[in-house]
Amino acid sequence: AQSVAQPEDQVNVAEGNPLTVKCTYSVSGNPYLFWYVQYPNRGLQFLLKYITGDNLVKGSYGFEAEFNKSQTSFHLKKPSALVSDSALYFCAVRDMTGANNLFFGTGTRLTVIP
Amino acid sequence: EPEVTQTPSHQVTQMGQEVILRCVPISNHLYFYWYRQILGQKVEFLVSFYNNEISEKSEIFDDQFSVERPDGSNFTLKIRSTKLEDSAMYFCASIPDWTSLGTQYFGPGTRLLVL
């Protein structure tokens, strides 16, 4: 069975500092991994995905994520946090056996402090 | 940029009542999904829909749930007789085709509260 885990419910970081939001996965076979962000009163917005190729994936709004097969991780990163990055972040993995649906983590609330 | 829309944004209902949650997927998309998130828990897959039929459903999606695409634009989730534990945020999502490799476009959600 596929699953992802986000070990931190809340991450606080000062504006301008680098940020990391952690995600680990459990899949059989090669994973398709995703990060989504949710701003207040908005739907889940796609940030980036890893399917194959380079382990470092670049996405929207300056975010990137590093796929690490040995550590089964897919941490989301940004070199310099903005206050506007404050939101709820979800890691997800695609169901490889079904109808393309996603399995999500519990989400991490990122707060960037001015 | 086209967006998935959902109505209502909030719904309060009494236990045992029927509710219909509505979604308008992006117009050229072919695959549609419902997910839910109980407060403080994971976003969970409920059902996927393609070519006017359910293609996959989870264990959560029991006989109390149904989905329908009554016209060319709306995609609805019906809960026949709501229970307290149905209180959650419900998200609709769509993808243009099978080759999108999981990049789903989500609506803003409907927060359902069952009293």
Side-chain angles (χ1 to χ4, degrees), chain B residues 4-97:
Chain B
V4 177
T5 60
Q6 289 184 243
T7 54
S9 58
H10 295 78
Q11 174 126 19
V12 181
T13 190
Q14 295 290 322
M15 188 171 58
Q17 294 296 304
E18 175 184 284
V19 295
I20 297 176
L21 309 182
R22 291 183 167 79
C23 169
V24 179
I26 296 172
S27 63
N28 62 344
H29 285 195
L30 300 178
Y31 293 81
F32 314 113
Y33 302 82
W34 283 102
Y35 293 81
R36 78 171 185 191
Q37 185 182 29
I38 295 172
L39 189 62
Q41 298 185 24
K42 293 182 180 184
V43 177
E44 302 171 293
F45 166 70
L46 292 178
V47 66
S48 60
F49 192 85
Y50 170 71
N51 200 26
N52 283 321
E53 61 183 23
I54 291 173
S55 51
E56 191 88 12
K57 59 183 180 179
S58 71
E59 293 174 352
I60 303 167
F61 195 87
D62 62 22
D63 292 344
Q64 292 299 312
F65 291 90
S66 62
V67 289
E68 195 176 35
R69 189 157 161 82
D71 53 40
S73 59
N74 288 286
F75 177 50
T76 62
L77 174 69
K78 182 193 291 186
I79 308 175
R80 216 178 321 276
S81 177
T82 50
K83 299 179 279 220
L84 296 177
E85 53 266 37
D86 293 328
S87 296
M89 178 74 93
Y90 288 81
F91 294 106
C92 173
S94 66
I95 59 174
D97 53 50

Side-chain angles (χ1 to χ4, degrees), chain A residues 14-83:
Chain A
E15 185 177 23
N17 282 3
L19 69 87
T20 299
V21 183
K22 295 179 181 176
C23 173
T24 58
Y25 66 88
S26 174
V27 301
S28 51
N30 295 321
Y32 287 12
L33 295 161
F34 302 82
W35 277 102
Y36 281 80
V37 59
Q38 186 180 30
Y39 299 102
N41 302 315
R42 300 292 300 275
L44 297 166
Q45 295 181 35
F46 170 76
L47 273 181
L48 50 80
K49 66 183 176 187
Y50 172 82
I51 304 297
T52 186
D54 288 342
N55 290 340
L56 186 64
V57 179
K58 294 188 184 298
S60 307
Y61 312 122
F63 284 92
E64 57 189 29
E66 185 168 12
F67 172 67
N68 187 317
K69 190 170 184 177
S70 63
Q71 296 186 4
T72 62
S73 67
F74 189 57
H75 300 333
L76 181 71
K77 300 182 180 184
K78 187 172 182 180
S80 179
L82 301 172
V83 173

